[in-house]
């Protein structure tokens, strides 16, 4: 199983809503990532988890709150978002070798629209 | 991380070879050259990587210049399904681990005509 799944596929939320994005992988990967991708732009890294611990936060606003409850799951909790946060949110996973390629496997993304 | 330069867009005809160039004049000795691609409405997917020697896999070939300042991703027979944005990315694999970030540039948008 070389698949990263993300739910939901699409999400529309108001600025006062609280919602969560979910990501799952069963490849035994111990590194998991959240990226944000605006239309016609490349993906931008938001967060990195290594062995269920947050290892990188790319100065993301606190209205985005990541969580890694176990080695297979990664959540992104959303609260009080702004319309400019509308984007494709991509999850990825990889092995966590100290040296080597550590190819990243990406999910299909969640298309988020904030009204 | 060293930067890469790619053309914004390229066109190809179906069933013809495609050569996607990437310049990386400031590459360091331990930087691997990675290629990912992103098909429409999908997440990126790994294509190939290399260090010094040319590499082949089921998806593509990677030709690396002798001085390593440039490389070319080769799709031997383009299909409509190969229409995507292709990203050339350098990563220092000696740094290792998830904290060795994958930094996407703007990539090359490949259009394939039937």
């Amino acid at each position: 199983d070389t698949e990263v799944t993300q739910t939901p596929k699409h999400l529309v939320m108001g600025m006062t809503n609280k919602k969560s994005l979910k990501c799952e992988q069963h490849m035994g990967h111990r590194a998991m990532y959240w990226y944000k991708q605006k239309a016609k732009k490349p993906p931008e890294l938001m967060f990195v988890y290594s062995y269920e611990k947050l290892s990188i936060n790319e100065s993301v606003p606190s209205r985005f709150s990541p969580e890694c409850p176990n080695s297979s799951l990664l959540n992104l909790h959303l609260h009080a978002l702004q319309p400019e946060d509308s984007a494709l949110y991509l999850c990825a996973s990889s092995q966590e070798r100290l040296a080597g390629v550590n190819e990243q496997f990406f999910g299909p993304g969640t298309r988020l629209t904030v009204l | 991380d060293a930067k890469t330069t790619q053309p914004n867009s390229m066109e190809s005809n179906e069933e013809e070879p495609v050569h996607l160039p990437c310049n990386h004049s400031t590459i360091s000795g331990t930087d691997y050259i990675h290629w990912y691609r992103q098909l429409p409405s999908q997440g990126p997917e790994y294509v190939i990587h290399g260090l010094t020697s040319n590499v082949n896999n089921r998806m593509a070939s990677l030709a690396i210049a002798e001085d390593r300042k440039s490389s070319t991703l080769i799709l031997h027979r383009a299909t409509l399904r190969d229409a995507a944005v292709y990203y050339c990315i350098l990563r220092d694999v000696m740094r290792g681990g998830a904290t060795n970030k994958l930094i996407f540039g703007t990539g090359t948008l490949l259009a394939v005509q039937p």
Side-chain angles (χ1 to χ4, degrees):
Chain A
D1 181 6
T2 58
E3 193 180 19
V4 175
T5 58
Q6 291 188 244
T7 53
K9 284 188 167 40
H10 300 274
L11 178 62
V12 179
M13 60 186 290
M15 289 189 284
T16 58
N17 292 156
K18 281 186 181 180
K19 296 285 184 185
S20 296
L21 309 185
K22 181 179 169 182
C23 173
E24 195 164 2
Q25 57 88 15
H26 296 287
M27 293 178 275
H29 290 167
R30 301 311 295 272
M32 295 188 78
Y33 313 77
W34 281 114
Y35 289 82
K36 173 181 177 179
Q37 186 173 26
K38 301 283 277 184
K40 299 195 184 305
K41 297 289 187 185
E44 293 179 349
L45 184 66
M46 300 174 72
F47 301 105
V48 179
Y49 273 83
S50 175
Y51 290 91
E52 295 93 70
K53 288 188 172 22
L54 183 65
S55 59
I56 294 179
N57 176 342
E58 292 286 87
S59 303
V60 179
S62 60
R63 57 185 185 269
F64 295 91
S65 175
E67 178 197 20
C68 190
N70 61 56
S71 60
S72 300
L73 279 177
L74 185 66
N75 298 320
L76 187 62
H77 303 296
L78 314 172
H79 173 53
L81 293 195
Q82 304 296 309
E84 58 265 29
D85 296 322
S86 299
L88 181 69
Y89 288 84
L90 293 160
C91 173
S93 71
S94 75
Q95 292 183 345
E96 184 52 330
R97 292 179 291 223
L98 290 179
V101 173
N102 288 330
E103 169 193 345
Q104 289 189 20
F105 291 78
F106 285 80
T110 293
R111 177 78 56 193
L112 175 68
T113 302
V114 182
L115 300 176
Chain B
D1 291 293
K3 288 192 67 173
T4 63
T5 306
Q6 299 177 252
N8 287 334
S9 62
M10 291 184 65
E11 265 196 23
S12 172
N13 294 319
E14 202 176 5
E15 299 193 5
E16 289 185 359
V18 182
H19 290 237
L20 296 162
C22 181
N23 287 321
H24 29 78
S25 58
T26 58
I27 191 170
S28 76
T30 51
D31 279 332
Y32 272 65
I33 302 155
H34 295 71
W35 284 82
Y36 280 73
R37 72 178 185 180
Q38 187 170 19
L39 302 172
S41 301
Q42 293 190 27
E45 64 175 342
Y46 165 84
V47 177
I48 201 166
H49 75 274
L51 182 62
T52 55
S53 306
N54 294 345
V55 184
N56 301 300
N57 67 18
R58 63 173 179 82
M59 289 181 74
S61 296
L62 177 59
I64 301 172
E66 205 168 319
D67 64 4
R68 301 188 69 233
K69 292 184 189 297
S70 66
S71 59
T72 303
L73 181 71
I74 302 165
L75 307 179
H76 295 285
R77 286 179 74 241
T79 69
L80 296 178
R81 198 195 166 276
D82 292 320
V85 179
Y86 287 78
Y87 297 101
C88 171
I89 303 168
L90 300 184
R91 294 178 85 197
D92 183 348
V93 293
M94 291 309 293
R95 287 172 47 199
T99 52
N100 185 5
K101 295 183 279 190
L102 198 63
I103 301 173
F104 289 84
T106 51
T108 297
L109 177 61
L110 175 66
V112 180
Q113 306 299 329

